[in-house]
Every structure is written in C-alpha cells, then in structure tokens.
Amino acid sequence: MKVIIVGGGWAGSGAAIAARNAGAEVTVLERTDMLLGTGLVGGIMRNNGRFTATEEMIALGGNEIFETIDANCRHKNIEFPGHKHASLYDIALIEPAIRNLLVSKGIEVRLQARMKDVEMDGEKITAVILDDDEKITGDVFIDATGSAGPMGNCGKYGNGCAMCVLRCPSYGGRVSLVGKAGVPEKQGKKADGTIGAMSGSCKLFKESLSKEIVDMLNNTGVAVIPLPEELRKGEGALAKKACQQYALKEFNENIILLDTGHAKLMTPYYPLEQLHQVPGFENARYEDPYAGGKGNSMRYMALAPRDDALKVKGLDNVFCGGEKAGLLVGHTEAIVTGTLAGHNAVRYALGQELLVLPETLTVGDAISYVRQVMDTEEGMTKKYTFSGSVYFNRMQEQGLYTTDIATIKDKVDKTGLTGVFSKKLA
Ligand SMILES: Cc1cc2nc3c(=O)[nH]c(=O)nc-3n(C[C@H](O)[C@H](O)[C@H](O)COP(=O)(O)OP(=O)(O)OC[C@H]3O[C@@H](n4cnc5c(N)ncnc54)[C@H](O)[C@@H]3O)c2cc1C
C-alpha cells in the first residue's frame, strides 16, 4: 500500500506521519529544497483556540508532530493583542526537526521533486510525473500543494512577486494535483470580492533593529511599538490579509513584532522608507519576503472540493489537506486536515469506512463548518482559524474552546477515538 503525498508543507508532513502510522509506505514529494512550505516563515502556535485543537489532536494520537514543535519553541505561553497562551517555534530549527522525524519513521522524503502532471485511469490517479519526467506510481494520492502563488497570481492579484520563501523562480511554481486531474478548484476572495488574500506577515533581520527592541523580543517574545498617526496604514489595509485573526485595530495602531528567530512583523508589507521613520527601525531590513516593502505572497488560489473525510469530490483515490482543503488558515489547521487525510488514505486503500471527526470536537466541527460556509458567496470572502475571527467566535459560542487538558482528553475519550491516529490499520 503506497501513499504518495504531493507537497511537503505542514499539511503534507502531518499526512505523511498519519499514513505511516496507519501502516502505509509513504513518499512525500516537495518541489523546493526544504519541507514546511509557508511554515518556514511562520511560527505562531497554540494561540486562542489552536490550543484546544492541538490538545485534541494529541489525545487523538496525532501527538508526534506537535511534540516536536513544542520542543523547538523559542517562547511559550505568551500574550500579544487579541491572542493568549501562544507559542512561537524557532524558524531556523523547525524544518530539520520535522524532516528528521519523518525520515526516522521510514517516510521517503523527496526534495526538489516537483509534480508537473498526472496519469489517470478513469477517476483514479495512477501515477504522478515529476519535472524530470520520472513517473511515480501509488495506490492513494494526497494533494497538499497549498494555495500560494505561483508568481503569475502574485502579479495579477497582488503587488507582484515579493520574492518569498516559496522561491517559485528557482524551483518552479505550485502545481495542483487536483487541478491536473481535471477537477475544477475554487478561489478564495477578499471582502471586496477580489480574488485571493495577501499573506499577513514579514520577517525583519533582528540585527537591523535597535538593541532595545531586540532585547524586548528576546526576553518576552513580543514587542508592541506605537506607530505615529501619519504612518498608520488604515484599517482598509488589514482587510486584505489572509490571517483575519490579526486584523484588529491594535495591529493598525502599533508595530507588533514576535520573536521566531527573526523579528516577525505582523503586517502583509510596509514600505521601508516609512518603516525607517519609526524609532528603533531606522536600519530595518527585510529577510522575508525580500520585497516586504512592496508586497507579499498571494494565497487561497486553488481550493479543492472535498467531503468531511477530506476525500476530493470527483476523484476516486485522492485526498487533500491544508489550504488545499479550504479556507482554513494556519499551521495547526494544516496539520489537523493533513493528519486526517493521511489516515483516511490508508482506510481507503484497505477498503475501510472513512473517518469523519465528530463535531463535538473542534477539529471535526471546523472541517465540516468550513466545507459548508464555502458553499456560500459570503463564506468564500472570509478565512477560518481556531485562533481568531469567525471560527474562534463560533468555538466560544458552541462551548468548544477550553484550555483544560483533562477536559479535552475526556471529550476525546467519549468519542471512542483516543489514539486513533497512532494505531496501525494494516
Ligand atoms: C508569511 C506567512 C506567515 C505565516 N505565519 C503563520 C503563523 O505564524 N502561524 C500559523 O499558524 N500560520 C501561519 N501562516 C499560515 C500557514 O503557514 C499556512 O496556512 C499553512 O502552513 C499551510 O500549509 P499547507 O501545507 O497547506 O501549504 P504550504 O505551506 O503552501 O505548503 C505546500 C507545499 O507544497 C509544495 N508544492 C506545491 N506544488 C507542488 C508540486 N507540484 N510538487 C511538489 N511540491 C509542491 C510547496 O513547495 C510547499 O512546500 C503563515 C503564512 C505565511 C505565508
């Protein structure tokens, strides 16, 4: 039983571990030279409802990936405006830690292996074709290619290629497995109806900031620096962001930095000449994207139709996870959906009933809720995350948000699914 995962971001990595634990031979194909995709420049975990989702996944047996993240955090249990009990992983250490985890489990990780096409038999994918024409066959396929870029989309819907960590000019742009198999995909929209959403943070070299700011970041993980009135972007700019959980007025009135190794600037882009006018930022310089003064990557460009087991509609042996599975934003969200997709790929190969996570758990409720709202026009203009905005409000209204680990374990136990993602099915 061979599961082929296209895309080695957080969703592909989560899917790989779950499929391997369930008993499959697993290959991850990643087009760049590193795993984790947009997660290479992320870092925020466990903020608000992500804490609940993380602990639910740990109780469900999806613990290995979250334990590895927890072990590579620079800061734990910190607060910043609108966000409680967050952890920040170290963006320099996390990729090797996850790659080593995958390899140690016997997962084949193929880097610089970009899928460019598929071979089909009816509604089944039988093989994927790489850029160098190598053909890789498998029994079940998972699309974890994300929704970012490629460059043409960043040019058409954003401010041009900002030279982000995805490095499309060097490795070739994102290619969607589901799209290549002929299934029409959807595009997310902004509140004004235009296509896509701009990534919501940049990284600054810490060395380019004042000692005072760097000390604050190193000691507390957070720096909140008030912006003079004339340098504020206005709340309209916040509406363009993919991560709407940070579209709060505090993010307009202040520069908010988080310490993920570099200084994570919580804004999609900010002209350098203006940034240089803020005390402490006189020498500021962007680390990611290189043109962070002008723009950022565009995302939510290709979303697959799927059911709540994460099986792609219109295809027989294909599952999806991460941003490909809908308008869910974030590493935790990608790991949750990736893990379920990986587990169900093995159930499918064995002819077993597919697992749908119950709606008494926030991880099950989110997967089902996002599928439903994506059928409405208004729903397509929003983004959903455990950590804020629409879906965190829903978590609180439905009584799904708690930070009490014993309560979470008990809730998972009542579903009869404790440890399900760590059990071998074959
Ligand atoms: C700048 C930035 C900062 C962020 N910060 C945070 C944060 O702090 N916390 C948080 O929770 N979320 C954050 N996010 C959001 C989060 O990173 C994503 O929502 C999530 O990680 C998406 O994971 P994914 O695996 O679905 O997609 P991606 O991360 O896009 O991964 C997809 C992978 O597939 C590969 N790929 C694409 N096509 C092919 C192909 N044809 N063949 C082989 N490989 C292919 C890509 O190279 C990539 O590695 C941030 C996003 C950005 C852009």
Side-chain angles (χ1 to χ4, degrees), residues 7 11 30-31 37-38 42-44 50 115 175 199 264 322-323 330-331:
E30 165 54 44
R31 69 178 180 89
T38 56
I44 311 173
R50 284 180 180 154
M115 181 272 315
V175 177
S199 297
K264 183 174 168 86
E323 290 184 2
H331 312 327

Side-chain angles (χ1 to χ4, degrees), residues 6-12 29-32 34-39 41-45 47 50 89 113-116 144-148 166 173-177 199-203 245-246 260 264 288-289 296-297 299-300 321-324 328-334:
V6 185
W10 277 119
L29 303 172
E30 165 54 44
R31 69 178 180 89
T32 73
M34 287 186 275
L35 293 176
L36 300 189
T38 56
V41 286
I44 311 173
M45 302 294 293
N47 46 334
R50 284 180 180 154
Y89 64 65
R114 177 174 175 262
M115 181 272 315
K116 67 169 180 186
T145 55
S147 70
L166 293 174
R174 171 182 56 79
V175 177
S176 162
L177 179 73
S199 297
S201 74
C202 308
K203 269 96 243 146
Q245 68 272 32
Y246 308 119
T260 58
K264 183 174 168 86
D288 176 85
N296 212 321
S297 51
R299 312 215 315 276
Y300 298 93
E323 290 184 2
K324 180 57 66 182
L328 276 161
V329 192
H331 312 327
T332 311
E333 292 75 357

Side-chain angles (χ1 to χ4, degrees), residues 95-139:
E95 194 275 343
I98 296 295
R99 187 162 25 85
N100 290 340
L101 172 65
L102 264 58
V103 170
S104 72
K105 295 182 70 67
I107 293 163
E108 185 187 25
V109 176
R110 299 267 317 259
L111 299 173
Q112 299 196 54
R114 177 174 175 262
M115 181 272 315
K116 67 169 180 186
D117 213 345
V118 296
E119 280 189 5
M120 311 268 305
D121 177 9
E123 291 190 343
K124 265 192 175 173
I125 295 181
T126 53
V128 292
I129 313 294
L130 304 187
D131 270 347
D132 63 2
D133 293 327
E134 185 186 354
K135 187 203 274 195
I136 298 179
T137 57
D139 299 303

Side-chain angles (χ1 to χ4, degrees), residues 268-329:
Y269 64 95
Y270 199 101
L272 206 50
E273 298 84 345
Q274 290 178 27
L275 195 57
H276 287 167
Q277 293 171 37
V278 182
F281 292 80
E282 292 83 355
N283 302 321
R285 178 178 156 172
Y286 285 102
E287 198 275 338
D288 176 85
Y290 271 125
K294 191 171 170 231
N296 212 321
S297 51
M298 294 300 292
R299 312 215 315 276
Y300 298 93
M301 293 297 169
L303 314 172
R306 50 87 178 167
D307 62 19
D308 291 343
L310 298 179
K311 188 167 173 303
V312 174
K313 289 183 181 165
L315 293 173
D316 205 1
N317 60 341
V318 183
F319 291 78
C320 64
E323 290 184 2
K324 180 57 66 182
L327 294 165
L328 276 161
V329 192

Side-chain angles (χ1 to χ4, degrees), residues 1-21:
M1 183 179 27
K2 203 169 155 197
V3 175
I4 307 295
I5 298 165
V6 185
W10 277 119
S13 300
I17 293 171
R20 184 71 185 146
N21 283 347

